[in-house]
Amino acid sequence: MATLPNPLPRLATDPTGHALGLALPPGRLIDATDEGPWHEPLLWHADAPSAPGDWAAHHDAYRAAGLVPVVVDVGGSQGGPESWELMPADTSYPGDHDPEEVLTGFWEEYAAEGEDWPGLARGTDAESLQADADALVAWFADSTLVVGSPLKEPRLALVPARRSADIPAAIGWSGPANYESDTARLCAVLRSWEDRFGIRVLALTFNQLVLSVAAPPATVAEAEALAAEHFAFCPDNITQGAHNTLRAYAEHELLSKPTWSFWWD
């Protein structure tokens, strides 16, 4: 994994992040991996739920410090990130992979015989997309990080990464390990979705990835084209989901939906 300078070690002696321009609540640094402690922290996460508006209020400061926010669930059946069997040693760099090549390879492996890869779905080129994406993920994070969230124990986390799409690779997240052991290949797809649909990585659990989506498909045809990408990215979403055809999945899970969720068996 090609990495940026990691500011997280500075939090060991400066827990509030004051020197980085931050005002962090009590939290902890995570360096645990499937092979023992990593040589530097992979992420920081807060010890308690956040107050409403914290993400949006401090987003610019996080980015200035070289950190990207995400929600992590520390109370799932597999525990928090220190128990997730993170695998940074097995992770490459998302920019080294072509997203369509990644999706094409998965499609050819998992699609029915004779079903040709339809190509990437069209997204939007609106100049305001990325600003809208940041605003939307902040809104969702605000409702996800507080008591009463759908997650059991949601916590604000900070990850040293170039962009939101790189977060799973930056920590060596192993949620899709039974499907793809190098999470950077999936992050290459996330980068493409970030550019075309304004996704942001909103939340991670042991094996679930949740995205906010600023520009979801607005027609059934657009949604169905994108459903092929979702199938290639995570076949379990469709083969083990409530909507097990591309069209049904498109209509019920993608059409005008501002969040996408993925889970790998």
Side-chain angles (χ1 to χ4, degrees), residues 19-146:
L20 296 173
L22 304 175
L24 297 177
R28 65 190 66 187
L29 295 167
I30 304 298
D31 65 0
T33 77
D34 67 326
E35 296 182 345
W38 195 238
H39 63 274
E40 60 184 4
L42 295 165
L43 71 149
W44 169 94
H45 73 71
D47 285 335
S50 298
D54 274 359
W55 180 304
H58 300 287
H59 179 267
D60 290 345
Y62 299 148
R63 295 309 302 260
L67 299 166
V68 185
V70 65
V71 180
V72 296
D73 190 353
V74 304
S77 60
Q78 300 291 334
E82 68 277 2
S83 303
W84 286 359
E85 300 178 346
L86 301 178
M87 302 189 298
D90 296 336
T91 307
S92 59
Y93 175 55
D96 290 339
H97 306 284
D98 178 86
E100 186 161 19
E101 288 183 3
V102 171
L103 290 172
T104 302
F106 287 142
W107 176 271
E108 291 175 349
E109 183 171 355
Y110 291 97
E113 186 175 351
E115 291 189 18
D116 294 331
W117 165 243
L120 296 181
R122 288 191 61 184
T124 180
D125 297 321
E127 292 183 6
S128 63
L129 178 59
Q130 300 312 318
D132 291 345
D134 288 337
L136 182 67
V137 72
W139 186 88
F140 275 116
D142 198 23
S143 60
T144 303
L145 282 165
V146 297

Side-chain angles (χ1 to χ4, degrees), residues 193 208-213 215-220 222-224 226-228 230-231 234 236-263:
W193 289 348
Q208 184 181 22
L209 166 68
V210 183
L211 310 177
S212 65
V213 191
T219 69
V220 172
E222 291 171 351
E224 196 165 3
L226 178 60
H230 278 227
F231 174 79
C234 180
D236 290 341
N237 262 27
I238 296 173
T239 59
Q240 298 191 41
H243 310 291
N244 57 10
T245 67
L246 291 186
R247 186 173 182 85
Y249 179 82
E251 292 178 343
H252 294 278
E253 303 293 340
L254 297 182
L255 184 61
S256 302
K257 295 291 187 180
T259 59
W260 299 340
S261 180
F262 301 93
W263 169 84

